[in-house]
């Protein structure tokens, strides 16, 4: 029987989000691939943040021999040359989908970590390499691939549920709050969408 594994290779698309949305595809745009990994290893779930002329790309790094993802940062200069690479966050449980963003005067990371049975929001104490747990976000379910959006003066959080294995892919939930720290109020119609093709914010990976 053949051995099959998911192996990911992210790339930076040399185009604006507006251009990609208008075209409906990344086909034809130049790509710059992130560095390759060794056997049975990959990088995934990149999130980029420009600061002081440098692009900080936070990624999941995964090794099938360890089976616990951790978070690294790849630093590129303005000409997209890789100038640094360092580990930034590891826990006893699997981490992925390192959503990094700026809000409320701080820099935050909200990684996927449902195997910890909670959702932890981290604050940068020495960007980009040192992060501390800042808040536990209390929700109606253990969240998978939680994704915050600030809209019309309020925070909205989109996530699927880890309660049942199928729900990780199919059951989209929403909550809202006045501040990132909460309290968070689940939408009364949760799950607001049930669809294996489009419910999970981080895509199709389990």
């Amino acid at each position: 029987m053949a051995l099959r594994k998911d192996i990911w290779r992210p790339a930076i698309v040399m185009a604006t989000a507006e251009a990609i949305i208008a075209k409906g595809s990344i086909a034809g745009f130049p790509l710059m691939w992130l560095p390759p990994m060794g056997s049975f290893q990959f990088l995934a779930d990149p999130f980029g943040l420009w600061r002081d002329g440098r692009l900080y790309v936070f990624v999941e790094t995964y090794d099938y021999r360890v089976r616990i993802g951790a978070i690294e940062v790849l630093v590129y200069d303005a000409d997209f040359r890789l100038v640094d690479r360092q580990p930034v966050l590891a826990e006893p449980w699997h981490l992925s989908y390192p959503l990094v963003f700026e809000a409320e005067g701080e820099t935050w990371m909200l990684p996927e970590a449902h195997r910890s049975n909670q959702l932890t929001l981290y604050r940068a104490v020495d960007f980009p390499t040192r992060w501390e747990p800042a808040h536990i976000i209390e929700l109606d379910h253990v969240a998978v691939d939680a994704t915050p959006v600030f809209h019309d003066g309020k925070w909205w959080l989109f996530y699927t549920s880890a309660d049942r294995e199928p729900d990780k892919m199919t059951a989209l939930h929403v909550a809202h709050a006045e501040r990132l720290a909460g309290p968070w109020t689940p939408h009364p119609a949760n799950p607001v969408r049930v669809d294996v093709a489009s419910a999970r914010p981080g895509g199709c990976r389990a």
Side-chain angles (χ1 to χ4, degrees), residues 8 18 46 55 58 92 105 132 150 153 155 167:
W8 300 80
E18 291 81 4
L55 175 62
F58 295 85
E132 65 178 8
F150 190 71
W155 284 100
D167 290 347

Side-chain angles (χ1 to χ4, degrees), residues 32 89 109 141:
M32 189 190 72
L89 186 61
M109 182 191 297
H141 295 266

Side-chain angles (χ1 to χ4, degrees), residues 157-170:
L157 192 68
F158 298 81
Y159 54 98
T160 54
S161 168
D163 287 7
R164 300 186 314 127
E165 194 64 29
D167 290 347
K168 294 179 184 179
M169 298 300 303
T170 62

Side-chain angles (χ1 to χ4, degrees), residues 89 99-101 103-104 106-111 118-124 131-137 148 155 157 179-182 184:
L89 186 61
L99 199 161
V100 175
F101 60 102
E104 300 177 359
E106 303 279 1
T107 305
W108 308 94
M109 182 191 297
L110 187 61
Q118 62 187 17
L119 182 59
T120 303
L121 179 65
Y122 295 80
R123 178 193 294 111
W131 301 80
E132 65 178 8
H135 304 290
I136 302 298
I137 295 178
W155 284 100
L157 192 68
R179 299 179 61 253
L180 275 171
W184 289 85

Side-chain angles (χ1 to χ4, degrees), residues 30-147:
L31 301 177
M32 189 190 72
W33 295 96
L34 270 61
M37 299 287 283
S39 298
F40 297 102
Q41 301 175 63
F42 63 79
L43 300 176
D45 299 344
F47 283 88
L49 180 67
W50 282 100
R51 180 172 289 181
D52 299 327
R54 290 190 168 190
L55 175 62
Y56 297 86
V57 180
F58 295 85
V59 292
E60 170 197 354
T61 178
Y62 190 84
D63 188 324
Y64 278 103
R65 292 159 294 194
V66 178
R67 293 184 175 272
I68 297 179
I71 307 303
E72 290 190 359
V73 64
L74 309 177
V75 185
Y76 293 86
D77 66 15
D79 296 317
F80 294 97
R81 292 177 296 216
L82 183 65
V83 296
D84 196 14
R85 177 178 181 174
Q86 296 189 54
V88 299
L89 186 61
E91 297 284 13
W93 50 84
H94 177 79
L95 296 174
S96 60
Y97 197 67
L99 199 161
V100 175
F101 60 102
E102 297 172 326
E104 300 177 359
E106 303 279 1
T107 305
W108 308 94
M109 182 191 297
L110 187 61
E112 152 53 28
H114 75 268
R115 293 192 180 109
S116 69
N117 291 315
Q118 62 187 17
L119 182 59
T120 303
L121 179 65
Y122 295 80
R123 178 193 294 111
V125 293
D126 187 9
F127 183 87
T129 56
R130 290 183 56 217
W131 301 80
E132 65 178 8
H135 304 290
I136 302 298
I137 295 178
E138 302 286 349
L139 297 167
D140 52 344
H141 295 266
V142 174
V144 178
D145 288 350
T147 303

